Amino acid sequence: MPRRTTVPNTDGEREMVGSVEVTHHFEEAPGAVAPIRWHYVTAGDPHAPTVLFLHGNPESWRAWEPQFEAFADTYRIIAPDLKGYGQSDKSPGDWRWEATADELLALLDQMGLGRFAIVSHDRGSVLADHLGGTNPHRVACYVRMQQVCHIWRPEWSWQAGYFADPLFGPSLFGDPDYYFRFRLDAMLKNEVPVERLETLKYEMSYPGIADAVIRYYQASTFEKERVDRIRLFPNMRFPVLLLQGDRDDGQPPYYFDHPTLPATACFPDAELQWVEGAGHYTNLEKPEAVTEHVAKFLTAHLPANDRA
């Protein structure tokens, strides 16, 4: 594979993402076993309503670059690298999703953040389910992308086994080019600019990711963590948007629009929207459509004067 030499950012470093300036932060917050050192970026007015962006696997904060220009004028944006990814902590500890959600909340508390909206994708939505389901008073609204609810067929999610494998898992996550050839490229339903994919490969090249990310899958099974989260859905008394690509092979439409078991019925206040023609990686494949759906939802449920 091509050798990528990563250069970590520094606390307070600023860079331009399109026309928007983002600031890098490194902050240590309480963890389940030991303190967690988080990397996150911020953009926009620090006094505006906050939108917390949580990326999926195998991404980083850069998954949300297309949204920064759209939302930085109206909202305060916080986009962390999830624990184990990018430049965030990769130390051994408690890697159950519920524990990681508590650790992220400890960071948000330390930042003095009160109420916020969440926009999440893939495994970021697993984290968001625990965060919002156990702390509903903190969440104004929630855009939940590409994550199963109550319907699931394990034969379509066979990655759970090889992600957790102590030999194959690290070899997969330790070689971004192989990961993309083996998995991500095959899941894309639309052409994605090469430079976007290369950026994500670079973000996967930070030391420690290969051994860290697999701990999530070793800490629990897909089925157990799904059942754990289903119990939290009724707690989410805030508006929820289920935003799904309609060509995701692993999450077919009937998972969400089943005529007698619609996914929206799992939540007190939810709606379903499709990103037409998109596979699993909606934000890579159809960034403009994702931005349009998210913007409409945030405008309705996170007014500019919502600064609680």
Side-chain angles (χ1 to χ4, degrees), residues 208-283:
I209 289 176
D211 296 313
V213 172
I214 66 169
R215 295 186 184 119
Y216 284 117
Y217 305 99
Q218 293 171 339
S220 185
T221 66
F222 273 17
E223 176 62 0
K224 182 182 185 306
E225 50 117 284
R226 185 184 68 87
V227 171
D228 288 344
R229 289 183 288 122
I230 287 174
R231 299 181 183 130
L232 299 175
F233 293 162
N235 299 341
M236 299 184 189
R237 295 179 292 276
F238 42 80
V240 176
L241 172 62
L242 304 178
L243 186 59
Q244 288 288 133
D246 63 0
R247 295 184 62 197
D248 186 343
D249 295 330
Q251 298 180 23
Y254 83 86
Y255 273 22
F256 300 90
D257 64 3
H258 192 283
T260 59
L261 296 170
T264 52
C266 296
F267 305 86
D269 180 8
E271 61 181 287
L272 172 66
Q273 292 288 335
W274 298 107
V275 181
E276 295 184 2
H280 184 75
Y281 288 94
T282 46
N283 205 37

Side-chain angles (χ1 to χ4, degrees), residues 11-264:
D11 188 48
E13 181 181 344
R14 298 180 180 183
E15 71 168 281
M16 297 302 295
V17 173
S19 62
V20 174
E21 183 179 76
V22 304
T23 303
H24 293 266
H25 305 267
F26 290 85
E27 189 168 344
E28 193 172 271
V33 175
I36 303 296
R37 187 173 187 262
W38 295 91
H39 169 250
Y40 62 94
V41 300
T42 57
D45 180 356
H47 303 293
T50 298
V51 182
L52 176 67
F53 287 90
L54 301 177
H55 67 81
N57 174 37
E59 298 167 299
S60 74
W61 69 272
R62 291 192 181 274
W64 303 109
E65 286 182 329
Q67 278 65 56
F68 289 170
E69 289 190 277
F71 299 121
D73 286 344
T74 307
Y75 302 106
R76 177 192 186 190
I77 294 171
I78 300 176
D81 286 339
L82 301 192
K83 186 174 76 168
Y85 293 86
Q87 299 176 71
S88 283
D89 205 304
K90 301 170 183 68
S91 303
D94 191 340
W95 286 76
R96 295 171 302 146
W97 286 101
E98 56 265 41
T100 304
D102 288 342
E103 292 169 336
L104 178 58
L105 185 64
L107 170 68
L108 302 179
D109 288 344
Q110 195 164 282
M111 294 167 61
L113 185 60
R115 195 160 171 262
F116 48 88
I118 302 175
V119 179
S120 63
H121 176 263
D122 183 66
R123 306 310 290 176
S125 296
V126 176
L127 183 62
D129 284 347
H130 284 285
L131 184 62
T134 55
N135 304 275
H137 60 289
R138 301 288 292 273
V139 179
C141 57
Y142 175 21
V143 179
R144 185 183 190 273
M145 299 167 58
Q146 303 308 129
Q147 188 51 243
V148 299
C149 294
H150 60 318
I151 299 176
W152 179 67
R153 291 181 59 176
E155 64 268 29
W156 291 351
S157 300
W158 49 286
Q159 72 272 21
Y162 62 72
F163 281 170
D165 187 274
L167 296 178
F168 186 62
S171 69
L172 182 64
F173 284 102
D175 185 342
D177 295 287
Y178 179 55
Y179 186 105
F180 276 53
R181 289 196 307 271
F182 178 79
R183 179 165 175 80
L184 192 144
D185 289 347
M187 298 175 69
L188 296 175
K189 302 300 184 182
N190 299 270
E191 186 173 350
V192 177
V194 172
E195 58 270 21
R196 284 285 286 148
L197 299 179
E198 286 301 315
T199 295
L200 295 180
K201 290 179 183 179
Y202 178 88
E203 292 288 302
M204 279 188 74
S205 300
Y206 282 100
I209 289 176
D211 296 313
V213 172
I214 66 169
R215 295 186 184 119
Y216 284 117
Y217 305 99
Q218 293 171 339
S220 185
T221 66
F222 273 17
E223 176 62 0
K224 182 182 185 306
E225 50 117 284
R226 185 184 68 87
V227 171
D228 288 344
R229 289 183 288 122
I230 287 174
R231 299 181 183 130
L232 299 175
F233 293 162
N235 299 341
M236 299 184 189
R237 295 179 292 276
F238 42 80
V240 176
L241 172 62
L242 304 178
L243 186 59
Q244 288 288 133
D246 63 0
R247 295 184 62 197
D248 186 343
D249 295 330
Q251 298 180 23
Y254 83 86
Y255 273 22
F256 300 90
D257 64 3
H258 192 283
T260 59
L261 296 170
T264 52

